[in-house]
Amino acid sequence: FIIALVSGLTAGSKWVGKVLSLYWYDAIVRDSHAIYFESKTMYAANQITRAVDNVDQRICQDALALTVTFGNIVFGGDTQNSVTQTFATIGFAIMLLLFQGYWFVVLSCLAYGFLIMLVCVCLVRPITAAMYAKNKREGDFRFVHARAIEYSESIAFYDGTAREHEVAGQAWERLYDVYYKLLRVEFPQRFAMKLSATSAGIIGFVLYFIGRFVKSTTT
């Protein structure tokens, strides 16, 4: 019964997450269309200002990636657990430990989890900056190729192929540097997450048996 209940709640949580993500995606697309197709905004966004590159991709792909990723984190995806499931599991374990009187185990595990959370937050900050730089450089790289396609006739007529080759190469070098930097800053965070996931169960069992030993010696 418990297995069936947990399976149903897990599947239901993922389904609700997908539905809410779809509703959010629909709201973002409709609001974006209302702004994008108002007056001369579309012309200005594509021809005058370069503050936002590839507006079509921002509406079609980035909005979808945002809503799906957030839904997977909160409610769980096809290959990952969710924050909701994690907190439910932790809450159930804490309830059992408190019911048996193992306050030491509960407080120690909570302190360990809080420490890991602080470490991961500190390690995520450079990743956020690197991801922003990566997205910007990817946009610049796509823009170089899109511009070459759009003005290919003029480039060929004025013999500007070598110059475009140089510009594309420079854009790729900047993007490659950002990719490499992202790999470097991601490793400490991935290591900390893997270490915490691997050691959490071991530490929990060790603290549990320590608590049992202390409880048996004091009674």
Side-chain angles (χ1 to χ4, degrees), residues 62-100:
D62 289 4
L64 177 62
L66 170 66
T67 54
V68 170
T69 302
F70 185 82
N72 289 343
I73 292 174
V74 177
F75 296 98
D78 296 330
T79 59
Q80 68 183 65
N81 293 327
S82 66
V83 175
T84 305
Q85 297 166 10
T86 302
F87 277 110
T89 304
I90 294 175
F92 182 72
I94 290 176
M95 182 183 66
L96 291 179
L97 290 172
L98 291 179
F99 181 76
Q100 298 180 23

Side-chain angles (χ1 to χ4, degrees), residues 135-177:
N135 292 335
K136 183 179 184 305
R137 294 306 182 189
E138 285 179 342
D140 295 340
F141 188 60
R142 289 192 304 268
F143 173 73
V144 168
H145 286 272
R147 185 189 61 184
I149 294 174
E150 184 175 358
Y151 298 102
S152 57
E153 183 178 355
S154 300
I155 293 172
F157 181 79
Y158 290 104
D159 197 19
T161 307
R163 173 58 182 166
E164 292 300 319
H165 185 191
E166 180 183 357
V167 172
Q170 292 173 353
W172 167 245
E173 289 177 0
R174 290 191 292 267
L175 178 58
Y176 178 82
D177 292 340

Side-chain angles (χ1 to χ4, degrees), residues 23 38 40 47-48 63 70 86 91 103 128 139 149 152 173 179-180 184 195-198 204 206 210:
Y23 287 160
E38 181 181 4
K40 296 181 175 60
Q47 302 297 331
I48 298 178
F70 185 82
T86 302
W103 289 90
T128 303
I149 294 174
S152 57
E173 289 177 0
Y179 278 147
Y180 191 76
R184 287 190 289 107
L195 178 63
S196 64
T198 305
V206 170
I210 291 176

Side-chain angles (χ1 to χ4, degrees), residues 102 208-219:
Y102 295 116
Y208 175 76
F209 284 111
I210 291 176
R212 289 194 61 179
F213 176 77
V214 172
K215 187 176 181 180
S216 63
T217 55
T218 55
T219 55

Side-chain angles (χ1 to χ4, degrees), residues 16-31:
V16 170
K18 291 181 181 295
V19 172
L20 294 179
S21 297
L22 179 60
Y23 287 160
W24 190 16
Y25 183 37
D26 175 67
I28 292 177
V29 170
R30 292 180 184 275
D31 291 343

